[in-house]
C-alpha cells in the first residue's frame, strides 16, 4: 500500500513540472495565432459589397411621386409636374429645334410667349409680371478644348420675364434654360424639361398673394447649342442683366435622374449655404465641380458665359442619368418621366424662394466678404447635406488624417504595452505596403486588360451592359488586392510576435489608414477640395476604432469585427455612390469622345480607383480566413464568365436599338459636302463627297462597312489638303473636328438651293497706308432655315489681321494641317434682317508683299441642319446603310475658298 501511494504521488507531481506556472490568457485561447473564420466568410464580404452597391444605386436614381392637377387643391403653392409635362409635350412635338430653324425661331418661341401671356392673365393681383422679346446680335472670343475662335450670332432670340419683387430696387435672381436643341434631337431633357420647369415655377410664384423680396428674371434663351450665344446676348446687352446678382442655370447631359449641382460660384459660399437650407433632397458634390472644370467632360454650359462675361455668381444643375440619349433622337418625352420634373421642380422652386428672399442677394454687389472663399459641399446618399469653407475643409482633412493614425496606435499599444510597439509599427507598414502594391498592381492590370480587349476588337463591350464592368475590371482589381495582401503577409510574416491575430490585422488596418492619410494630405496641400471623399472613408475607420475602445471589444475578435464591418457598410454605401455617379456619367461619354484614346483605359482606371475606395478596409481581413483560395477562385470564375460574355456573346456587343426600351446608340455625323476653290484666273475647281466623323473607338469599322465597296480616305490624306485651306473641311465645330478623326468618301455633289445660301461678297478694297489695306465684305442671309456659317481667314506670309469690325479684339489663330488661321463661327436666328457689313484690316511687310499681291485666303463655309427635304438620293441611300443601333446626324455643307 505504501509503495503504491508513493508511485501515485510521483505521477501527480511530474506533469506539474512540465506545464507553465501561469495559465494562458483567455484572449490567447480565443484569438491565438490561429485562423478564426471559415473560407466562405470571404464570400460574405463580396455579398456585402454588392448589397451596398445595390442600395446606393437605388438611392442614386430614386425619385418622388409626381403631383397632378388633382393635387392642386391640397397643394396650392406646390410645383405640379403634370402642368409642366403638358408644356413639354408641345415642345417635344415640334421635333428638333436647332437655332435658325422654323421650329425654334417661330414655333417654340411663339409657344413660350403664349404660355407666358397665360401666366400674366392668371397672376395674383399683388404680382407684377413684365416680359421682353430680345432679338440680339453680337460677338465674343472664346476658347474650347484649347482652340480659340470668334463666336458671332445674328438675330438670336431671348424670351425674358421679370417677376417683380417687393424691393424692386435693382437686385434680381435669374433662372436660365435654353429651348433650342441640336439637330436630330427633340431635346425633351436638353433642355425642354428645364424650360417647362421654369414655366411652372413662374406660374406658382406669380399666383402667390405676396411677392418675393427680390425680383426674379426668367431667361428662356434660344441659342445655347450654337454654342452659348444667346446667353452672351443677354448678359452683354439686355437692360435687366445689370440687375442680376445671382443665377440658377438648368441644364441636362442625360435623360432623367436627379438634377445634380455640379458647379457653384465661383467662390460666393453663401450660395451653397442657401442650397443647404432650402433643398430637401440634395444631390451635390464638390468633386463633380472639379471634374467638370478639369475639361474631362466634352461639354460646356451657359454658366461659363454668366461667369466670364456677366461676372455673376451662380449654380449649375444638370441631369446626367442615361447620357446615351443626350443629343440623339431618343432625347424625347417617351424616355422622360413625370417624377424627374417633380423632383427638379421641388428643389429649384424651394431654392428660388430662398434666394429671392435672402439678405445676401442685395449685398452681393456691395459686400466683398460674400464673394470670398470656396466651399466644400456634398450630400450623403441624398439624405444629408454638408458644407463648410475650404479652409475648414483643410483643417478637418488634416485632423482626421492625424487622428486616424494616433488613436488606433495608442489604443492597440494599451493592450500590448511597450513590448509590442515595434510589432504594431511593423504590421502597419505591412498593411501600407499591401494596399499600395495592390493599388499599383490593379492599375497596371486594368490597363493591360483594356489594351488586350481593344487589340482583339472588343473595345467598349460594356457600353450597353455596364454590369460587365464588374467582371471585366472589378473582379481583377479585387484579385490583385487579395494577392497583394497575401503576398506581403507571406513574405513579411514574423512567426514570433507579441501580437495575436486580431491585433495583427488591426495593425495592418492602421496601414490602410496611413495610405489614405498620405493621399489626403497630398490633395489638401495642392488645394484639391475633393479630398473630402477620402476623409469620409477615413472618418468611418476612426469612428470604428473609437467605438471599439469605448465598448471594450479590443480582445473580442468577433465583436470587434462586427463593429468594423458595421462602419464599413456606411463607408461602402458612400464609396459605391461615387462608383455609380462616375460610371453612369463616363460610360455614355465614351460614345462621343472620339477614337483617339482607348475608352477602356478610362473605365478601367475608374474601376481600379473606385475599387480601392470601396474595399480597402476589407482586404486586410483576408488574413482572418483559414483559406483565401476559395474567395480568389470565386472571383476568377466571375471574371472568366464576364470575359466570355464580353468576347463570345451578343451581351458584349456595345450598342442597342430601341427594341429593348433602353437604347444606347453609336453616333455618326455625316456631311454631304461640296468643295469649291476659286482660282486666280477666275476658274474654279469643284470636288464633292461625304465627310464622316469617327465619334467612338468602334466607329471606323461601321464607316468602312457603310462605304463599301468604295474606300474612305482619312481626312488629312485628302487631295484637297494640298490645294485648299484647312483641307477644305466644312468646319463648324472646330474643336471637335480637329480633335476627332474624319473620313472622306467621294460622291456626287449635294442639292443646294442657291438662293438660300448666305453670301459673303467683297464690296470694296481701301488702301489705308502704304503697309495696310482694308477689305469690306457684305454678308447676307434672308431665309428662315437652320444654317451656320464659318469664316476661316488665313493671312499669308508677312501679313497679319490687325483690326476688324467683328469685335474690338482679334483673337489668336487656330492651327490645322500645318496652317494657321482665324476661325469665326456665325449663327443666324431670325431671318429677313438687313445685310451685315464686315471690314478686315490687314497690315503687311513691304519687303515681302507687293501692292498687287493677294494678302489672305478665306474659306466661306455654310452648313445646313435639318435639311432632309433637300437630300439627294445617294445621300439618303448612304444614311440608310447605317444600322438601326446607329444615330446619324446628317448635314449638307458647301466650302468656298477664295484668295484676296
Amino acid at each position: 500500500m505504501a509503495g503504491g501511494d508513493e508511485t501515485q504521488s510521483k505521477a501527480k507531481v511530474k506533469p506539474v513540472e512540465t506545464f507553465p506556472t501561469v495559465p494562458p490568457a483567455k484572449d490567447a485561447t480565443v484569438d491565438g495565432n490561429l485562423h478564426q473564420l471559415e473560407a466562405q466568410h470571404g464570400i460574405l464580404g463580396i455579398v456585402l459589397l454588392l448589397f451596398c452597391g445595390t442600395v446606393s444605386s437605388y438611392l442614386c436614381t430614386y425619385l418622388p411621386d409626381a403631383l397632378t392637377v388633382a393635387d392642386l387643391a391640397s397643394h396650392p403653392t406646390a410645383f405640379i409636374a403634370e402642368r409642366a409635362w403638358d408644356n413639354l409635350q408641345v415642345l417635344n412635338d415640334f421635333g428638333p429645334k436647332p437655332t435658325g430653324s422654323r421650329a425654334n425661331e417661330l414655333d417654340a418661341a411663339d409657344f413660350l410667349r403664349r404660355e407666358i401671356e397665360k401666366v400674366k392673365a392668371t397672376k395674383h393681383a399683388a404680382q407684377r409680371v413684365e416680359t421682353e422679346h430680345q432679338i440680339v446680335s453680337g460677338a465674343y472670343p472664346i476658347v474650347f478644348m484649347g482652340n480659340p475662335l470668334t463666336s458671332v450670332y445674328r438675330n438670336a432670340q431671348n424670351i425674358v420675364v421679370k417677376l417683380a419683387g417687393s424691393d424692386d430696387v435693382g437686385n434680381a435672381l435669374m433662372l436660365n434654360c435654353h429651348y433650342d436643341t441640336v439637330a436630330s434631337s427633340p431635346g425633351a431633357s436638353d433642355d425642354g424639361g428645364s424650360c417647362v420647369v421654369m414655366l411652372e415655377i413662374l406660374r406658382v410664384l406669380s399666383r402667390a398673394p405676396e411677392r418675393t423680396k427680390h425680383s426674379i428674371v426668367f431667361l428662356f434663351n434660344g441659342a445655347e447649342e450654337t454654342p452659348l450665344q444667346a446667353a452672351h446676348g443677354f448678359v452683354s446687352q439686355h437692360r435687366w442683366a445689370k440687375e442680376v446678382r445671382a443665377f440658377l442655370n438648368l441644364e441636362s447631359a442625360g435623360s432623367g435622374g436627379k438634377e445634380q449641382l455640379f458647379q457653384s460660384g465661383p467662390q460666393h459660399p453663401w450660395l451653397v449655404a442657401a442650397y443647404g437650407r432650402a433643398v430637401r433632397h440634395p444631390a451635390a458634390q464638390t468633386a463633380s465641380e472639379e471634374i467638370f472644370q478639369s475639361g474631362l467632360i466634352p461639354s460646356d454650359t451657359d454658366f461659363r458665359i454668366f461667369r466670364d462675361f456677366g461676372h455673376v455668381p451662380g449654380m449649375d444643375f444638370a441631369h446626367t442619368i442615361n447620357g446615351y440619349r443626350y443629343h440623339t433622337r431618343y432625347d424625347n418625352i417617351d424616355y422622360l418621366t413625370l417624377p424627374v420634373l417633380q423632383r427638379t421642380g421641388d428643389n429649384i422652386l424651394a431654392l428660388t424662394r430662398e434666394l429671392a428672399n435672402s439678405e445676401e442677394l442685395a449685398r452681393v454687389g456691395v459686400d466683398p466678404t460674400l464673394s470670398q472663399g470656396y466651399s466644400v459641399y456634398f450630400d450623403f446618399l441624398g439624405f444629408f447635406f454638408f458644407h463648410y469653407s475650404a479652409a475648414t475643409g483643410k483643417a478637418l482633412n488634416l485632423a482626421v488624417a492625424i487622428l486616424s493614425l494616433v488613436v488606433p496606435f495608442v489604443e492597440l499599444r494599451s493592450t500590448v504595452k511597450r513590448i509590442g510597439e515595434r510589432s504594431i509599427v511593423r504590421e502597419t507598414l505591412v498593411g501600407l505596403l499591401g494596399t499600395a502594391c495592390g493599388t499599383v498592381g490593379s492599375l497596371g492590370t486594368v490597363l493591360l486588360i483594356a489594351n488586350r480587349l481593344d487589340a482583339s476588337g472588343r473595345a467598349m463591350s460594356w457600353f450597353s451592359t455596364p454590369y460587365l464592368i464588374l467582371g471585366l475590371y472589378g473582379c481583377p482589381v479585387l484579385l490583385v488586392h487579395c494577392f497583394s495582401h497575401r503576398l506581403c503577409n507571406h513574405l513579411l510574416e514574423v512567426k514570433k510576435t507579441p501580437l495575436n491575430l486580431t491585433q495583427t490585422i488591426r495593425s495592418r488596418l492602421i496601414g490602410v489608414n496611413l495610405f489614405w492619410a498620405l493621399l489626403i494630405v497630398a490633395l489638401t496641400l495642392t488645394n484639391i477640395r475633393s479630398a473630402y471623399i477620402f476623409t469620409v472613408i477615413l472618418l468611418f475607420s476612426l469612428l470604428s476604432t473609437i467605438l471599439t475602445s469605448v465598448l471594450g471589444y479590443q480582445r473580442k475578435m468577433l465583436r470587434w469585427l462586427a463593429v468594423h464591418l458595421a462602419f464599413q457598410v456606411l463607408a461602402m454605401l458612400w464609396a459605391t455612390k461615387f462608383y455609380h455617379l462616375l460610371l453612369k456619367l463616363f460610360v455614355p461619354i465614351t460614345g462621343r469622345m472620339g477614337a483617339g484614346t482607348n475608352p477602356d483605359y478610362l473605365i478601367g482606371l475608374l474601376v481600379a480607383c473606385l475599387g480601392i475606395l470601396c474595399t480597402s478596409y476589407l482586404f486586410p481581413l483576408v488574413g482572418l480566413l483559414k483559406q483565401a483560395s476559395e474567395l480568389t477562385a470565386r472571383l476568377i470564375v466571375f471574371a472568366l464568365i464576364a470575359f466570355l460574355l464580353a468576347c463570345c456573346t451578343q451581351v458584349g456587343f456595345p450598342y442597342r436599338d430601341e427594341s429593348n426600351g433602353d437604347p444606347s446608340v453609336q453616333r455618326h455625323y455625316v456631311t454631304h459636302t461640296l468643295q469649291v476653290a476659286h482660282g486666280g484666273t477666275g476658274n474654279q475647281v469643284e470636288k464633292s463627297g461625304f465627310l464622316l466623323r469617327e465619334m467612338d473607338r468602334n466607329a471606323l469599322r461601321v464607316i468602312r462597312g457603310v462605304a463599301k465597296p468604295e474606300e474612305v480616305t482619312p481626312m488629312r490624306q485628302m487631295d484637297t489638303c494640298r490645294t485648299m485651306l484647312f483641307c477644305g473641311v466644312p468646319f463648324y465645330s472646330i474643336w471637335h473636328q480637329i480633335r476627332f478623326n474624319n473620313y472622306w468618301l467621294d460622291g456626287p455633289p449635294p442639292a443646294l438651293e442657291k438662293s438660300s445660301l448666305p453670301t459673303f461678297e467683297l464690296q470694296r478694297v481701301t488702301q489705308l497706308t502704304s503697309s495696310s489695306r482694308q477689305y469690306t465684305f457684305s454678308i447676307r442671309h434672308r431665309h428662315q432655315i437652320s444654317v451656320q456659317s464659318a469664316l476661316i481667314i488665313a493671312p499669308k506670309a508677312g501679313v497679319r489681321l490687325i483690326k476688324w469690325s467683328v469685335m474690338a479684339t482679334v483673337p489668336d489663330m487656330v492651327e490645322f494641317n500645318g496652317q494657321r488661321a482665324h476661325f469665326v463661327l456665325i449663327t443666324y436666328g431670325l431671318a429677313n434682317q438687313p445685310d451685315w457689313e464686315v471690314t478686315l484690316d490687314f497690315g503687311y511687310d513691304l519687303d515681302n508683299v507687293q501692292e498687287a499681291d493677294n494678302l489672305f485666303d478665306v474659306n466661306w463655309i455654310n452648313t445646313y441642319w435639318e435639311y432632309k427635304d433637300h437630300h439627294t438620293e445617294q445621300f439618303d441611300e448612304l444614311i440608310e446603310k447605317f444600322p438601326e443601333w446607329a444615330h446619324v446626324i446628317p448635314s449638307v455643307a458647301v466650302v468656298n475658298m477664295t484668295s484676296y
Side-chain angles (χ1 to χ4, degrees):
M1 294 280 301
D5 291 340
E6 184 179 358
T7 305
Q8 186 178 8
S9 175
K10 289 179 180 179
K12 291 179 180 179
V13 171
K14 190 173 182 179
V16 173
E17 295 175 345
T18 59
F19 283 100
T21 57
V22 180
K26 183 178 180 181
D27 183 55
T29 61
V30 175
D31 280 331
N33 284 332
L34 300 174
H35 294 286
Q36 298 294 316
L37 301 178
E38 297 297 330
Q40 60 266 27
H41 287 92
I43 305 301
L44 293 179
I46 303 300
V47 172
L48 188 63
L49 175 62
L50 293 175
F51 170 77
C52 291
T54 302
V55 172
S56 61
S57 177
Y58 171 77
L59 293 176
C60 279
T61 55
Y62 171 75
L63 298 170
D65 292 334
L67 296 180
T68 66
V69 176
D71 298 309
L72 193 56
S74 56
H75 299 85
T77 61
F79 183 95
I80 304 297
E82 187 180 32
R83 292 193 300 201
W85 183 263
D86 292 341
N87 291 153
L88 184 59
Q89 285 184 314
V90 177
L91 283 176
N92 180 83
D93 290 345
F94 290 142
K97 298 172 284 294
T99 302
S101 66
R102 296 184 63 86
N104 189 68
E105 306 305 327
L106 302 181
D107 298 339
D110 288 347
F111 169 73
L112 290 171
R113 287 200 296 269
R114 289 196 304 270
E115 288 301 309
I116 292 167
E117 288 302 314
K118 292 178 184 177
V119 170
K120 292 176 69 175
T122 58
K123 69 178 181 64
H124 193 278
Q127 301 290 343
R128 187 173 87 245
V129 179
E130 302 175 52
T131 62
E132 286 201 3
H133 179 202
Q134 183 189 28
I135 301 174
V136 61
S137 299
Y140 58 97
I142 197 166
V143 177
F144 284 104
M145 305 293 181
N147 298 298
L149 74 143
T150 301
S151 183
V152 177
Y153 49 96
R154 303 293 297 168
N155 308 311
Q157 293 190 88
N158 283 317
I159 299 168
V160 195
V161 185
K162 180 180 177 183
L163 187 63
S166 58
D167 293 344
D168 188 15
V169 291
N171 298 310
L173 170 71
M174 182 177 71
L175 276 66
N176 175 71
C177 72
H178 67 90
Y179 58 88
D180 67 310
T181 74
V182 295
S184 300
S185 176
S189 182
D190 181 28
D191 194 28
S194 298
C195 287
V196 300
V197 163
M198 279 174 45
L199 272 177
E200 179 61 12
I201 290 174
L202 175 60
R203 282 193 198 97
V204 173
L205 294 178
S206 69
R207 296 175 185 181
E210 294 183 1
R211 295 186 186 183
T212 56
K213 182 174 183 179
H214 305 294
S215 299
I216 306 172
V217 174
F218 296 81
L219 173 58
F220 302 86
N221 86 65
E224 189 269 352
E225 301 288 2
T226 48
L228 317 181
Q229 293 173 325
H232 181 269
F234 175 80
V235 297
S236 63
Q237 300 183 49
H238 200 283
R239 61 190 179 95
W240 288 342
K242 298 177 182 178
E243 302 179 13
V244 174
R245 299 291 176 262
F247 69 89
L248 305 178
N249 185 51
L250 309 185
E251 259 292 357
S252 182
S255 181
K258 301 178 179 180
E259 79 297 336
Q260 297 282 338
L261 171 59
F262 69 99
Q263 286 193 102
S264 178
Q267 299 185 309
H268 289 269
W270 65 275
L271 287 170
V272 173
Y275 179 90
R277 293 192 302 267
V279 175
R280 292 178 54 195
H281 307 291
Q285 297 290 338
T286 302
S288 299
E289 179 175 312
E290 293 191 324
I291 290 172
F292 186 83
Q293 294 178 356
S294 71
L296 286 175
I297 299 175
S299 298
D300 217 329
T301 74
D302 285 326
F303 181 97
R304 177 178 182 179
I305 299 298
F306 301 138
R307 177 195 65 197
D308 296 349
F309 294 94
H311 308 293
V312 182
M315 288 186 275
D316 213 356
F317 298 87
H319 302 96
T320 58
I321 300 298
N322 288 317
Y324 302 106
R325 303 167 194 160
Y326 171 72
H327 284 189
T328 73
R329 63 182 180 273
Y330 296 115
D331 184 10
N332 61 51
I333 201 167
D334 296 334
Y335 294 95
L336 205 61
T337 63
L338 277 165
V340 173
L341 300 182
Q342 186 66 53
R343 180 198 156 88
T344 305
D346 286 344
N347 284 343
I348 301 302
L349 176 59
L351 183 56
T352 299
R353 283 174 170 150
E354 176 69 27
L355 291 173
N357 290 295
S358 67
E359 295 294 334
E360 293 91 341
L361 197 69
R363 293 165 38 213
V364 170
V366 295
D367 187 352
T369 61
L370 288 176
S371 63
Q372 295 174 0
Y374 288 89
S375 291
V376 176
Y377 57 89
F378 56 91
D379 71 280
F380 186 79
L381 302 177
F383 294 117
F384 308 102
F385 183 71
F386 301 90
H387 65 93
Y388 42 82
S389 68
T392 301
K394 289 183 178 181
L396 285 174
N397 293 345
L398 297 176
V400 171
I402 294 171
L403 289 175
S404 68
L405 302 177
V406 173
V407 171
F409 179 84
V410 171
E411 190 270 335
L412 263 178
R413 182 181 179 278
S414 67
T415 62
V416 298
K417 307 302 179 185
R418 295 185 61 183
I419 192 172
E421 283 184 355
R422 289 189 177 182
S423 296
I424 294 174
V425 172
R426 175 185 175 83
E427 296 301 334
T428 295
L429 295 177
V430 172
L432 172 64
L433 183 62
T435 305
C437 290
T439 301
V440 174
S442 63
L443 291 172
T445 299
V446 298
L447 290 176
L448 179 62
I449 293 172
N451 179 271
R452 292 299 84 200
L453 285 173
D454 183 54
S456 62
R458 295 293 175 177
M460 299 176 65
S461 57
W462 33 260
F463 186 69
S464 294
T465 316
Y467 294 111
L468 283 178
I469 294 173
L470 294 174
L472 291 174
Y473 295 109
C475 286
V477 165
L478 297 183
L479 279 168
V480 170
H481 279 283
C482 286
F483 286 137
S484 175
H485 280 273
R486 290 185 67 187
L487 183 62
C488 288
N489 178 67
H490 176 73
L491 296 177
L492 303 174
E493 183 180 20
V494 177
K495 293 184 178 180
K496 292 185 179 181
T497 174
L499 305 180
N500 61 39
L501 181 59
T502 302
Q503 292 164 342
T504 299
I505 298 301
R506 294 183 64 198
S507 298
R508 291 179 181 176
L509 288 172
I510 299 177
V512 181
N513 287 356
L514 179 57
F515 174 85
W516 290 121
L518 292 173
L519 179 60
I520 289 169
V521 170
L523 294 176
T524 300
L525 294 180
T526 53
N527 296 316
I528 296 178
R529 290 173 289 150
S530 297
Y532 72 90
I533 297 173
F534 314 108
T535 301
V536 172
I537 293 290
L538 202 52
L539 180 62
F540 284 127
S541 175
L542 176 60
L543 293 176
S544 172
T545 300
I546 294 172
L547 186 59
T548 296
S549 180
V550 170
L551 296 177
Y553 289 169
Q554 298 95 323
R555 297 172 183 241
K556 299 175 181 178
M557 188 270 288
L558 294 179
R559 294 186 181 182
W560 160 77
L561 186 59
V563 172
H564 175 75
L565 291 178
F567 277 95
Q568 283 310 299
V569 167
L570 295 174
M572 285 189 288
L573 286 171
W574 167 255
T576 54
K577 172 181 178 173
F578 286 95
Y579 176 90
H580 295 299
L581 285 178
L582 291 176
L583 268 295
K584 288 179 187 294
L585 173 66
F586 279 105
V587 167
I589 283 177
T590 60
R592 54 187 176 93
M593 63 185 295
T597 303
N598 179 6
D600 275 72
Y601 287 151
L602 171 62
I603 299 304
L605 290 173
L606 282 175
V607 173
C609 295
L610 293 167
I612 184 64
L613 183 69
C614 295
T615 57
S616 58
Y617 287 95
L618 297 183
F619 294 125
L621 302 183
V622 172
L624 293 173
L625 301 177
K626 288 183 178 179
Q627 286 186 335
S629 57
E630 183 174 341
L631 172 62
T632 55
R634 297 281 181 90
L635 289 173
I636 290 172
V637 169
F638 294 151
L640 289 175
I641 291 173
F643 277 97
L644 288 173
L645 290 173
C647 299
C648 304
T649 72
Q650 189 66 17
V651 174
F653 185 73
Y655 312 103
R656 301 286 187 272
D657 58 23
E658 60 183 328
S659 59
N660 69 342
D662 193 17
S664 47
V665 297
Q666 186 182 60
R667 300 160 190 261
H668 292 272
Y669 284 80
V670 184
T671 305
H672 197 176
T673 306
L674 175 66
Q675 299 171 315
V676 182
H678 299 275
T681 59
N683 63 320
Q684 62 183 35
V685 178
E686 293 189 0
K687 184 177 177 63
S688 61
F690 306 96
L691 194 71
L692 302 98
R693 191 188 308 172
E694 188 179 23
M695 291 294 290
D696 73 18
R697 193 69 168 182
N698 299 312
L700 181 56
R701 280 179 289 176
V702 176
I703 289 172
R704 285 174 171 164
V706 168
K708 284 183 179 178
E710 305 298 328
E711 291 292 328
V712 292
T713 303
M715 177 174 62
R716 288 173 174 80
Q717 297 177 21
M718 294 164 50
D719 293 338
T720 51
C721 283
R722 297 186 297 272
T723 59
M724 293 186 71
L725 175 63
F726 277 26
C727 298
V729 171
F731 284 123
Y732 59 88
S733 172
I734 197 165
W735 47 96
H736 282 157
Q737 290 164 301
I738 284 180
R739 290 175 61 239
F740 295 171
N741 294 322
N742 291 260
Y743 294 87
W744 179 265
L745 176 65
D746 284 330
L752 292 167
E753 284 190 332
K754 300 291 185 180
S755 61
S756 69
L757 274 171
T759 58
F760 179 74
E761 297 178 349
L762 179 64
Q763 300 297 308
R764 57 187 175 275
V765 179
T766 305
Q767 192 71 34
L768 300 176
T769 68
S770 60
S771 60
S772 64
R773 195 182 302 168
Q774 182 180 83
Y775 293 77
T776 302
F777 295 89
S778 174
I779 296 177
R780 173 180 296 180
H781 173 59
R782 294 291 177 86
H783 293 264
Q784 195 63 69
I785 192 168
S786 182
V787 59
Q788 279 183 297
S789 299
L791 272 173
I792 299 177
I793 306 168
K796 297 195 174 182
V799 181
R800 65 192 184 281
L801 179 62
I802 57 176
K803 183 181 178 182
W804 59 358
S805 62
V806 176
M807 59 184 185
T809 59
V810 179
D812 292 337
M813 292 187 284
V814 67
E815 184 172 344
F816 176 75
N817 192 39
Q819 299 166 318
R820 290 174 54 82
H822 300 279
F823 180 73
V824 184
L825 176 68
I826 306 172
T827 302
Y828 309 96
L830 286 171
N832 294 321
Q833 298 295 324
D835 294 355
W836 177 37
E837 195 170 86
V838 176
T839 60
L840 307 175
D841 294 0
F842 290 91
Y844 50 88
D845 184 352
L846 291 174
D847 294 334
N848 297 326
V849 178
Q850 301 300 316
E851 184 176 347
D853 286 348
N854 291 327
L855 301 185
F856 60 101
D857 294 327
V858 169
N859 276 3
W860 173 244
I861 303 165
N862 289 287
T863 303
Y864 290 90
W865 303 104
E866 295 301 317
Y867 204 61
K868 297 180 180 63
D869 293 342
H870 301 279
H871 288 180
T872 64
E873 182 179 350
Q874 293 88 345
F875 193 17
D876 285 334
E877 289 176 355
L878 181 69
I879 294 172
E880 288 173 3
K881 287 184 179 181
F882 283 89
E884 287 295 319
W885 40 261
H887 174 69
V888 180
I889 303 96
S891 57
V892 176
V894 56
V895 182
N896 279 279
M897 192 194 85
T898 309
S899 294
Y900 294 95

